[in-house]
Amino acid sequence: MATQAVDLGPFAPEQGPTSRWAALAAALGLGAAGVTAVAILIDLGGAGTLRSRSWAVPFGGAALIAAIIGLYQVSVLGRKGRTLAAWGAAFGVSAAVVAFVHGGVQTGTLELREFGVAYFNRTVMANIWRDILKAAVNTVKYAAIAEAFGIVLGLAVATFVISKRWWLRIPATIYVDVVRGLPLLMLLLLVYFGPTFVGITWSSSIAAGLVALTINSSAYMAEIFRAGIQSVERGQMDAARSLGMPYATAMIQVIIPQAVRRVIPPLTNEFIALVKDTSLLLILGMTVSQRELLTAARQLSSDSFSATPYMSASILYLAITLPLTRVVTRLERRLQAGQSLPPIRTRTMSHGRGHPSG
């Protein structure tokens, strides 16, 4: 009787001998942590100075590399030692960071008080929080607008790319390849300054920026939709055509709805990328009410002579993108479990042909 091969995966039960790399990672990690702890104790006790940075940082880096190799062996070969590798990496990286900071304090190259004043100045934060929050709202708004128009344009381009008509397929393919091949910064400059050579000027720099963001995102979304459409089983189209549906109707009512559900995670990823890409609107210039996060942080930093606005903007970027990253992870798990892909149902029409629903 034939047996089916089982992929162990990264969470497979541990089997066989312990990975030597995992054991080495644990030893290196503990060594780095020990050296750092001893250096801090000697420094606090006033017994002398031990430069832990030159030891702990290399040890920590080596522990991380050994842990990665050890975890690979655990995953692929089913070796034991997952816990050793994980703790070795944690101890090694933590010790390296602590030793780096401690060494900076010892040598005077890192003043924690000055760092706090420069990057976490409470007085500056109290003065800028309204402006920085308004810029965060603008950032999300610009990304959402570009995402919405990009989805519409990208879906249309995707249907052209997979079309059997060459006069639709070839221009759409060229559009996708050219736009994806251009840096977004270059595209922003082309959209903003290019029309001026034919006598067209933009009434607002934000309008030009949104057009450029939409064009850029639509090319990537076209590839996302193309992959999603082509991932739908061929039998779905055959079944729809056998019910008497024209090709266009079958695409709109059967194929595209299934494809859209499948591409929700990558579309969310594209929105995360758009949130960060809005920072490039800095080069176009905008009014105070139009500023996105990076532009606001730059201007507020110049006004306050402090790096606190940059740190505040960074925190807000993370506050926007990290929850979305978690959403993408959950959506991918639901799709893998089949929860977001309900079956296509048919109901009988008056003339006896089925019509998809659901």
Side-chain angles (χ1 to χ4, degrees), residues 130-187:
R130 290 185 178 85
D131 292 329
I132 208 75
L133 283 179
K134 185 175 181 179
V137 172
N138 286 340
T139 294
V140 175
K141 180 175 68 176
Y142 298 153
I145 293 173
E147 174 93 352
F149 285 102
I151 286 175
V152 175
L153 182 56
L155 181 56
V157 173
T159 58
F160 294 160
V161 169
I162 63 176
S163 174
K164 295 180 180 180
R165 296 178 174 85
W166 65 268
W167 51 273
L168 288 175
R169 184 178 65 255
I170 293 178
T173 302
I174 293 174
Y175 171 85
V176 171
D177 291 342
V178 170
V179 173
R180 293 177 69 201
L182 286 175
L184 178 55
L185 182 61
M186 179 66 71
L187 187 61

Side-chain angles (χ1 to χ4, degrees), residues 3 15 52 73 96 120 139 172 179 187 257 302 311 315 325 338 350:
T3 58
Q15 304 171 9
S52 61
Q73 288 185 335
F120 297 96
T139 294
V179 173
L187 187 61
S302 299
M311 184 59 67
I315 293 172
T325 304
S350 59

